[in-house]
Amino acid sequence: MIKTKFPTNPIDRLKLFFTFFDSRWEDLTKENWIKTVYQDFSAGLIVAMTAIPMAMGFAMAMGMRPEHGIIAGALACVIGRTFGGSKYQVYGPTAAFIPVIAALISKYSNPEIGGNFEQAHGFLVFVSILSGLILIIMGIFGVGKYAKLVPNSIIVGFTVGIAISIALTNFEDILGIENFKEFIGQDEDINGGLVHNIKMAISNIDHINIYSIIIGIVTFVLAKYLLKISIYIPGPVIAMATATILAATLFADKNLILVRDLYGSIPNSFFKIQLPYLPEMNSSVYLDIVYFVVSIVFVSGIESVLCSSMADRLANNEKTPFNADKEFFGQGLVQIFTPLVQGFPCTGALARTATSIKAGAKTPLAGYFKAILKLSMAFYLAQYLELIPMACIGGILVWVASNMIKPSEIKEIKKLGKFEFATMVYTAVMVPLTDFLTGVLTALIIYFFVKYFFKKKQILN
């Protein structure tokens, strides 16, 4: 890979950040533009088909509406591809944001404290804009390179912990327990966190819907194994279509709960301004603002740099590498503008970026095609998307969780030594048991504290 010297002066960085046709477009030439545009279009189409069910699933897991995921993924990709620092990265909803956004929406939409969904969404917009401004400042002043200092043991542990949380908190959809709540009028919300969900699942074990389980298993198997046959087979879309057909025919009278039963009709008039909202200020709200802003900044920075680095390796990029500072700047704009139009915070999506590269993506054009095609398909399919059974959404999310845990990465951490492996395990356990930021920050503190004293001890000896 070419060793590129990016600007070190903040003013020069800012000029580069607003340069549209920079080195990310170097693979688009007069000689090959027809072939490159075709490859980018093909990659955009494949990713768009894969992204629709995933975006809907992520949004619902966050406590948002299904269409919010579609909007967020499309707009984030346009902004990120325009101002980001990677040639290949696909932007959109990611699993790492699920516990962060779900916690915010759950707390601030609670009627017991006078909240509702609109207020919670407005508060999310507020903290996301603050996060975006911080990311922009970090990019301008060259902080992007420091994201690489986070140890792999913590990154892998964090990913495993998020995967465990996603899988366990979405089993009620597959088991049909949400279905039971809906039809007999149970008031207590099952989406109340990991420990709460497990307790609720156990207490309602005798109300499991076998047909819901079948839908979930069929979805998981099709999504997971069709993509292994060929990257050009949109496994999640086929799984979603199969589950929807089963729910409408063979299982039509089996009390399966559909997306529309929980969310009503999905509109195809996607874009609507969502203004920021601030609740009545007190010490708790101030702490929440700090917590959620730090969380969004951390996830945005770490995951985008990690995804960009992975993309360069996967694409065998021998030319200009990604620019971490420009990536921070692009992420900042994503977090400012995406939530303002009914979206929510997004970042680089590892699985969709890998899919895009394997499908032949060469330039940022693939991201633009993905956004346009995703919105176009969702516009015409909106009336059918609301017929998807919730067990299918649960199956998709469990499939996503299974893909996040990579045995090869765990083996690599184990080779680094007992301390690195223990750090990974600690992070993986603490993230679902406490919360995202507590798990990661305590792991970072322990890691660098131990490393510092171990190094100091070596010097004294």
Side-chain angles (χ1 to χ4, degrees):
M1 188 179 291
I2 297 172
K3 289 186 177 180
T4 304
K5 289 186 177 180
F6 294 117
T8 55
N9 182 283
I11 302 299
D12 292 333
R13 280 201 193 96
L14 204 53
K15 289 179 181 177
L16 173 64
F17 295 166
F18 282 105
T19 301
F20 181 73
F21 285 107
D22 55 13
S23 58
R24 294 173 304 146
W25 297 88
E26 61 192 350
D27 293 313
L28 185 65
T29 64
K30 291 181 179 179
E31 294 76 24
N32 72 355
W33 74 269
I34 295 177
K35 179 182 177 182
T36 301
V37 169
Y38 174 78
Q39 287 179 307
D40 284 342
F41 177 84
S42 176
L45 177 61
I46 293 296
V47 175
M49 288 192 292
T50 303
I52 288 176
M54 292 176 68
M56 290 175 62
F58 286 149
M60 287 185 274
M62 293 171 182
M64 308 290 286
R65 287 184 54 82
E67 65 268 22
H68 292 162
I70 296 170
I71 296 165
L75 187 58
C77 215
V78 171
I79 298 171
R81 284 296 201 172
T82 303
F83 297 101
S86 171
K87 298 180 191 179
Y88 310 103
Q89 186 156 228
V90 174
Y91 301 82
T94 61
F97 272 126
I98 289 177
V100 177
I101 298 176
L104 185 151
I105 296 297
S106 176
K107 181 173 181 178
Y108 284 90
S109 62
N110 188 350
E112 293 182 4
I113 61 170
N116 57 52
F117 176 75
E118 289 299 318
Q119 291 177 355
H121 196 181
F123 186 56
L124 175 62
V125 173
F126 175 76
V127 296
S128 188
I129 289 174
L130 288 183
S131 305
L133 292 172
I134 292 171
L135 285 163
I136 287 172
I137 293 169
M138 290 169 70
I140 292 172
F141 287 96
V143 181
K145 60 180 177 289
Y146 295 110
K148 299 176 183 178
L149 297 178
V150 178
N152 283 338
S153 55
I154 292 179
I155 292 174
V156 173
F158 158 69
T159 305
V160 172
I162 295 294
I164 293 169
S165 295
I166 293 171
L168 292 179
T169 54
N170 285 281
F171 263 119
E172 76 273 5
D173 288 322
I174 296 176
L175 297 176
I177 297 172
E178 281 280 14
N179 182 20
F180 168 68
K181 180 187 73 173
E182 177 76 7
F183 284 99
I184 70 167
Q186 181 177 317
D187 294 326
E188 189 169 1
D189 184 13
I190 292 181
N191 289 320
L194 177 60
V195 176
H196 175 76
N197 281 13
I198 293 173
K199 288 180 179 177
M200 288 299 297
I202 293 172
S203 64
N204 290 289
I205 201 75
D206 55 328
H207 298 291
I208 287 175
N209 187 323
I210 188 65
Y211 301 99
S212 184
I213 295 175
I214 292 171
I215 290 285
I217 292 173
V218 167
T219 300
F220 177 85
V221 171
L222 289 176
K224 190 169 186 69
Y225 294 102
L226 286 179
L227 279 175
K228 288 188 175 182
I229 296 173
S230 171
I231 197 68
Y232 294 99
I233 300 176
V237 173
I238 294 173
M240 187 173 66
T242 303
T244 304
I245 292 170
L246 282 174
T249 55
L250 293 178
F251 300 160
D253 59 345
K254 304 303 181 184
N255 287 338
L256 292 173
I257 191 165
L258 309 181
V259 168
R260 71 180 177 192
D261 295 323
L262 293 180
Y263 300 95
S265 296
I266 297 179
N268 55 12
S269 54
F270 295 125
F271 296 105
K272 176 185 173 185
I273 298 298
Q274 174 65 59
L275 296 176
Y277 170 81
L278 260 180
E280 185 177 341
M281 300 302 291
N282 54 46
S283 58
S284 176
V285 174
Y286 282 121
L287 287 173
D288 281 346
I289 290 172
V290 173
Y291 174 86
F292 290 118
V293 167
V294 171
S295 298
I296 293 171
V297 169
F298 183 87
V299 173
S300 300
I302 297 301
E303 192 153 20
S304 65
V305 170
L306 180 67
C307 186
S308 298
S309 179
M310 178 276 295
D312 277 352
R313 292 197 306 271
L314 191 62
N316 295 316
N317 180 24
E318 297 295 334
K319 297 179 182 179
T320 307
F322 78 95
N323 183 335
D325 295 325
K326 194 172 191 297
E327 185 58 36
F328 268 41
F329 181 81
Q331 281 287 306
L333 293 177
V334 167
Q335 311 313 3
I336 289 173
F337 291 106
T338 304
L340 280 170
V341 283
Q342 292 287 294
F344 48 77
C346 294
T347 185
L350 290 161
R352 275 151 283 170
T353 298
T355 300
S356 181
I357 292 169
K358 290 177 183 177
K362 297 295 182 185
T363 76
L365 267 179
Y368 294 118
F369 283 133
K370 175 250 183 181
I372 295 169
L373 292 167
K374 182 179 182 180
L375 284 178
S376 300
M377 286 188 286
F379 179 86
Y380 290 105
L381 293 174
Q383 59 182 318
Y384 303 107
L385 295 177
E386 64 192 51
L387 301 177
I388 300 170
M390 288 302 297
C392 172
I393 299 299
I396 293 246
L397 289 171
V398 173
W399 162 67
V400 169
S402 72
N403 288 338
M404 292 174 69
I405 300 176
K406 296 179 173 62
S408 59
E409 291 182 346
I410 296 173
K411 288 179 181 177
E412 285 180 15
I413 299 299
K414 197 171 183 179
K415 288 178 182 177
L416 295 176
K418 292 181 179 179
F419 174 67
E420 298 286 346
F421 185 73
T423 303
M424 181 198 71
V425 172
Y426 173 85
T427 310
V429 171
M430 290 298 290
V431 165
L433 281 185
T434 57
D435 59 79
F436 150 73
L437 203 56
T438 301
V440 172
L441 287 182
T442 55
L444 283 169
I445 292 169
I446 293 170
Y447 184 90
F448 287 110
F449 180 82
V450 172
K451 282 284 184 180
Y452 171 78
F453 277 98
F454 180 72
K455 187 176 181 180
K456 189 175 180 181
K457 187 178 179 180
Q458 282 186 324
I459 294 171
L460 291 174
N461 290 338

